[in-house]
Amino acid sequence: MRAFDEEPDDRLVEMAREGRDADTRPFEVLMRRHQGHVVANCRVITRSSADAEDLAQDVFIKAFFGLRRFEGRSQFKTWLQRIKVNHCLNHLRKTRGAVLVDMEEPGLEAHPAMHRQSTVHESLQSGLDRERIVRVLDGMSDTLRIPLMLRDGEIGRAHV
């Protein structure tokens, strides 16, 4: 990898595009070289430290698979920045209005927003499914039915 470390970005891009026998080393050097900047910008754009690493990884995946379309009319860093900004803006659009919560928060399961009322159709379908399961279980021999019921506690409770 050291031989690639000294190469300028444009040469690494050229080598990565040639991609002799799936040699990803030139792109790996580009990624290492620009990763800190991309992660920091993702953090600033989205105001989310939690999402920054994942967003940066997505940016590099998009760059890797889009490298053949890179025309070289700008620097690699500029092209990567465009991918990064577009990806982060798309992320913000998708998550706008979404409320994110920590799943480890105590008492979260009791919060009303975590529950939804089932519709009549869902309740009816659930009952019909439960009846079918019970009929199938009743038709099984004990050697098959008992281990299955022990393995899946929900089926066991539905049958009782």
Side-chain angles (χ1 to χ4, degrees), residues 38-56 59 84-95 100:
V38 171
V39 171
N41 285 175
C42 287
R43 187 179 305 113
V44 169
I45 293 169
T46 63
R47 296 184 191 110
S48 172
S49 296
D51 293 335
E53 292 283 339
D54 290 339
L55 290 168
V59 167
K84 170 189 61 196
V85 168
N86 287 336
H87 186 66
C88 289
L89 290 175
N90 286 337
H91 172 77
L92 289 173
R93 280 186 208 106
K94 283 185 222 172
T95 58
L100 303 176

Side-chain angles (χ1 to χ4, degrees), residues 47-108:
R47 296 184 191 110
S48 172
S49 296
D51 293 335
E53 292 283 339
D54 290 339
L55 290 168
Q57 184 176 3
D58 292 343
V59 167
F60 283 110
I61 290 169
K62 286 181 177 192
F64 180 78
F65 287 109
L67 202 55
R68 297 227 184 267
R69 293 186 309 272
F70 176 58
E71 298 173 359
R73 292 186 300 192
S74 62
Q75 294 180 352
F76 174 77
K77 182 178 181 177
T78 305
W79 181 69
L80 188 62
Q81 181 175 343
R82 185 176 196 95
I83 294 170
K84 170 189 61 196
V85 168
N86 287 336
H87 186 66
C88 289
L89 290 175
N90 286 337
H91 172 77
L92 289 173
R93 280 186 208 106
K94 283 185 222 172
T95 58
R96 183 177 293 138
V99 177
L100 303 176
V101 295
D102 182 2
M103 294 304 290
E104 302 297 320
E105 186 177 317
L108 184 63

Side-chain angles (χ1 to χ4, degrees), residues 146-160:
I146 292 171
L148 181 61
M149 290 172 61
L150 291 173
R151 183 190 67 81
D152 191 345
E154 286 299 311
I155 293 174
R157 284 193 286 281
H159 189 57
V160 173

Side-chain angles (χ1 to χ4, degrees), residues 6-38:
E6 303 302 317
E7 297 289 342
D9 282 1
D10 57 344
R11 177 69 183 127
L12 289 169
V13 167
E14 181 182 319
M15 292 164 58
R17 287 177 73 174
E18 291 170 2
R20 293 182 277 282
D21 300 321
D23 185 3
T24 59
R25 292 177 299 172
F27 190 80
E28 289 172 26
V29 172
L30 285 166
M31 193 173 88
R32 267 198 339 265
R33 192 174 285 174
H34 296 283
Q35 188 168 14
H37 191 254
V38 171

